[in-house]
Coordinates of all heavy atoms in Angstrom, one line a residue:
H17 N 138.9 117.6 7.9 CA 139.4 116.5 8.7 C 140.9 116.3 8.6 O 141.4 115.2 8.6 CB 138.7 115.2 8.3 CG 137.2 115.2 8.6 ND1 136.3 115.9 7.7 CD2 136.4 114.8 9.6 CE1 135.1 115.8 8.2 NE2 135.1 115.1 9.3
R51 N 143.5 111.3 6.3 CA 142.6 111.7 7.3 C 142.2 110.7 8.3 O 141.7 111.1 9.4 CB 141.3 112.1 6.5 CG 141.4 113.4 5.7 CD 140.4 113.5 4.6 NE 140.3 114.8 4.0 CZ 141.2 115.2 3.1 NH1 142.2 114.4 2.7 NH2 141.2 116.4 2.6
Q62 N 136.3 97.8 0.7 CA 135.2 97.1 1.4 C 134.0 98.0 1.4 O 132.9 97.6 1.1 CB 135.6 96.6 2.7 CG 134.5 96.0 3.6 CD 134.1 94.6 3.2 OE1 134.8 93.9 2.5 NE2 132.9 94.2 3.7
L64 N 133.4 100.7 -0.4 CA 133.0 101.1 -1.7 C 132.3 100.0 -2.5 O 131.3 100.2 -3.2 CB 134.1 101.7 -2.5 CG 133.8 102.4 -3.8 CD1 132.8 103.5 -3.7 CD2 135.1 102.8 -4.5
L70 N 129.7 103.7 0.5 CA 130.2 104.8 -0.3 C 129.8 104.5 -1.8 O 129.6 103.3 -2.2 CB 131.7 104.9 -0.2 CG 132.3 105.3 1.2 CD1 133.8 105.2 1.2 CD2 131.8 106.7 1.5
F83 N 131.4 109.5 -2.4 CA 130.7 110.2 -1.4 C 129.8 109.1 -0.7 O 129.6 108.0 -1.3 CB 129.8 111.3 -1.9 CG 128.9 110.9 -3.1 CD1 127.7 110.4 -2.9 CD2 129.4 111.1 -4.4 CE1 126.9 110.0 -3.9 CE2 128.6 110.7 -5.5 CZ 127.3 110.1 -5.2
L95 N 122.6 118.8 -9.0 CA 123.4 119.2 -10.1 C 122.6 119.2 -11.4 O 123.1 119.7 -12.5 CB 124.6 118.3 -10.3 CG 125.5 118.4 -9.0 CD1 126.7 117.4 -9.2 CD2 126.1 119.8 -8.8
E101 N 119.5 126.9 -17.6 CA 120.7 126.9 -16.7 C 121.9 126.2 -17.4 O 123.0 126.3 -16.9 CB 120.5 126.3 -15.4 CG 119.5 127.1 -14.5 CD 119.3 126.4 -13.2 OE1 119.7 125.2 -13.0 OE2 118.8 127.1 -12.3
E102 N 121.7 125.6 -18.5 CA 122.8 124.9 -19.2 C 123.5 126.0 -20.1 O 123.1 127.1 -20.3 CB 122.2 123.8 -20.1 CG 121.6 122.7 -19.3 CD 120.9 121.7 -20.2 OE1 121.0 121.7 -21.4 OE2 120.2 120.8 -19.6
D115 N 125.4 120.3 -34.4 CA 125.3 121.0 -35.7 C 125.3 119.9 -36.8 O 124.5 120.0 -37.8 CB 126.5 121.9 -35.9 CG 126.3 123.2 -35.0 OD1 125.2 123.4 -34.5 OD2 127.4 123.9 -34.8
Q121 N 120.2 119.4 -27.9 CA 120.8 118.7 -26.8 C 119.6 118.0 -26.0 O 119.8 116.9 -25.5 CB 121.6 119.6 -25.8 CG 122.2 118.9 -24.6 CD 123.2 119.8 -23.9 OE1 124.0 120.4 -24.5 NE2 123.0 119.8 -22.6
R129 N 119.3 109.1 -22.0 CA 118.7 108.7 -20.7 C 117.9 107.4 -20.9 O 117.9 106.5 -20.1 CB 117.7 109.8 -20.2 CG 118.4 111.0 -19.6 CD 117.4 112.1 -19.2 NE 116.4 111.6 -18.3 CZ 116.5 111.7 -17.0 NH1 117.6 112.2 -16.4 NH2 115.6 111.2 -16.2
Q148 N 130.3 103.4 -26.6 CA 130.0 102.7 -27.8 C 128.7 101.9 -27.6 O 127.8 101.9 -28.5 CB 131.1 101.7 -28.1 CG 132.4 102.5 -28.6 CD 133.6 101.5 -28.7 OE1 133.5 100.3 -28.3 NE2 134.7 102.0 -29.2
E161 N 117.6 108.5 -41.6 CA 118.5 109.5 -42.3 C 119.5 110.1 -41.3 O 120.5 110.7 -41.7 CB 117.6 110.7 -42.8 CG 116.9 111.5 -41.8 CD 115.5 111.0 -41.5 OE1 115.2 109.8 -41.8 OE2 114.7 111.7 -40.9
S170 N 134.2 110.9 -35.2 CA 134.1 111.9 -34.2 C 135.0 113.1 -34.7 O 136.0 113.0 -35.3 CB 134.6 111.4 -32.9 OG 134.7 112.5 -31.9
S193 N 124.2 110.7 -14.9 CA 124.7 110.4 -13.6 C 123.9 111.1 -12.5 O 123.6 110.6 -11.5 CB 126.2 110.7 -13.5 OG 126.7 110.5 -12.2
G218 N 120.7 97.5 -6.0 CA 119.5 96.6 -5.9 C 118.3 97.4 -5.8 O 117.2 96.9 -6.0
V220 N 117.0 102.1 -6.0 CA 117.4 103.5 -5.9 C 116.8 104.0 -4.6 O 115.6 104.2 -4.5 CB 116.9 104.3 -7.1 CG1 117.3 105.7 -7.0 CG2 117.4 103.7 -8.4
K233 N 125.8 124.2 1.6 CA 126.3 124.3 3.0 C 127.6 123.5 3.1 O 128.5 124.0 3.8 CB 125.3 123.8 4.0 CG 124.1 124.7 4.2 CD 123.2 124.2 5.3 CE 123.8 124.2 6.7 NZ 122.9 123.8 7.7
A246 N 133.3 131.5 -6.6 CA 134.1 130.3 -6.2 C 133.2 129.0 -6.2 O 133.6 128.0 -6.6 CB 134.7 130.5 -4.8
W250 N 133.6 125.6 -8.5 CA 133.7 124.3 -7.9 C 132.6 123.4 -8.5 O 132.9 122.2 -8.7 CB 133.5 124.5 -6.4 CG 133.6 123.2 -5.6 CD1 134.7 122.5 -5.2 CD2 132.5 122.5 -5.0 NE1 134.4 121.4 -4.5 CE2 133.1 121.4 -4.3 CE3 131.1 122.6 -4.9 CZ2 132.3 120.4 -3.6 CZ3 130.3 121.7 -4.2 CH2 130.9 120.6 -3.6
A288 N 133.7 129.5 15.4 CA 135.0 128.8 15.2 C 135.9 129.7 14.4 O 137.1 129.8 14.7 CB 134.7 127.5 14.5
L299 N 152.5 117.3 9.7 CA 152.7 117.5 8.2 C 151.9 116.5 7.4 O 151.6 115.4 7.9 CB 154.2 117.2 7.9 CG 155.2 118.2 8.6 CD1 156.6 117.6 8.5 CD2 155.2 119.5 7.9
L338 N 152.1 119.9 3.1 CA 151.2 120.8 3.8 C 151.8 120.9 5.3 O 152.0 119.9 5.9 CB 149.8 120.3 3.8 CG 148.7 121.4 4.2 CD1 148.6 122.4 3.0 CD2 147.4 120.7 4.4
R385 N 150.0 101.5 0.0 CA 149.8 101.1 -1.4 C 150.4 99.7 -1.7 O 150.3 99.2 -2.8 CB 150.5 102.1 -2.3 CG 149.9 103.4 -2.4 CD 148.5 103.4 -3.1 NE 147.9 104.7 -3.3 CZ 146.7 104.8 -3.7 NH1 145.9 103.8 -3.9 NH2 146.1 106.0 -3.9
L397 N 164.4 123.8 -2.8 CA 164.4 124.5 -4.1 C 163.1 125.3 -4.3 O 162.0 124.7 -4.2 CB 164.6 123.5 -5.2 CG 164.5 124.1 -6.6 CD1 165.7 125.0 -6.9 CD2 164.5 122.9 -7.7
V398 N 163.2 126.6 -4.5 CA 162.0 127.4 -4.9 C 162.1 127.7 -6.4 O 163.1 128.3 -6.8 CB 162.0 128.7 -4.0 CG1 160.8 129.5 -4.5 CG2 161.9 128.3 -2.6

Side-chain angles (χ1 to χ4, degrees):
H17 299 79
R51 289 159 171 78
Q62 172 77 16
L64 184 61
L70 292 173
F83 53 86
L95 299 174
E101 292 182 347
E102 297 174 5
D115 290 343
Q121 180 169 313
R129 285 174 57 91
Q148 294 170 351
E161 66 271 16
S170 171
S193 175
V220 177
K233 288 184 66 176
W250 183 76
L299 295 165
L338 199 70
R385 291 292 184 190
L397 176 66
V398 178

